[in-house]
Amino acid sequence: MTEPIKSDDNRQVAPNAGFDLNQPTIISLCYLASFITGITGLVGIVLAHVWQNDNQPAWAASHFTYLIRTFWFGFAGFVVAGVLSIVFIGILLMPVIAIWVGVRSVLSLIKAQKQEPMPDPQTLLF
């Protein structure tokens, strides 16, 4: 059995054994759901911009930066790939961009569940 965790004011807090539905998790899930619905990515980016200015712990702030950059660079990539699909190069780029967005969303989701910051939120890599 796990020991209760003491909070900053010495209250005992039970460890979270379930799924933590924090704000970065919600945004990541919106991004991932957009692969099925096509529209929830827009909901996710709006929430990310609105919640970014809230008083957040440092680990969550790094997720907002990471997720906002993921959306906008992914969006720009799809626009460029759409234009390049005229010469068929864009058709090859679209799945690559989708995988990039998906992997970054899953990485953020995993770190958000552990309430860990993203190591380098400014990176375009993973």
Side-chain angles (χ1 to χ4, degrees), residues 9-25:
D9 58 356
N10 285 332
R11 289 181 294 136
Q12 289 189 348
V13 179
N16 189 1
F19 191 77
D20 186 14
L21 206 59
N22 53 50
Q23 291 174 340
T25 296

Side-chain angles (χ1 to χ4, degrees), residues 2-68:
T2 59
E3 292 289 322
I5 300 169
K6 297 229 182 212
S7 68
D8 292 336
D9 58 356
N10 285 332
R11 289 181 294 136
Q12 289 189 348
V13 179
N16 189 1
F19 191 77
D20 186 14
L21 206 59
N22 53 50
Q23 291 174 340
T25 296
I26 293 169
I27 296 165
S28 295
L29 290 173
C30 284
Y31 288 0
L32 292 170
S34 69
F35 287 109
I36 297 169
T37 65
I39 193 77
T40 56
L42 294 174
V43 173
I45 192 62
V46 169
L47 290 175
H49 279 290
V50 169
W51 288 340
Q52 182 182 28
N53 296 326
D54 288 351
N55 188 14
Q56 299 291 338
W59 70 267
S62 70
H63 283 269
F64 290 120
T65 300
Y66 187 81
L67 290 166
I68 288 170

Side-chain angles (χ1 to χ4, degrees), residues 81 84-85 87-99:
L84 290 176
S85 65
V87 290
F88 299 108
I89 295 171
I91 295 170
L92 299 173
L93 287 177
M94 285 188 187
V96 172
I97 296 166
I99 290 168

Side-chain angles (χ1 to χ4, degrees), residues 52-120:
Q52 182 182 28
N53 296 326
D54 288 351
N55 188 14
Q56 299 291 338
W59 70 267
S62 70
H63 283 269
F64 290 120
T65 300
Y66 187 81
L67 290 166
I68 288 170
R69 290 175 58 85
T70 298
F71 179 86
W72 288 116
F73 279 99
F75 181 76
F78 272 112
V79 169
V80 169
V83 171
L84 290 176
S85 65
I86 296 169
V87 290
F88 299 108
I89 295 171
I91 295 170
L92 299 173
L93 287 177
M94 285 188 187
V96 172
I97 296 166
I99 290 168
W100 180 80
V101 170
V103 169
R104 285 177 60 99
S105 297
V106 168
L107 289 175
S108 179
L109 180 66
I110 291 168
K111 291 269 191 194
Q113 287 302 296
K114 298 177 186 176
Q115 294 188 356
E116 295 176 359
M118 295 308 296
D120 184 10

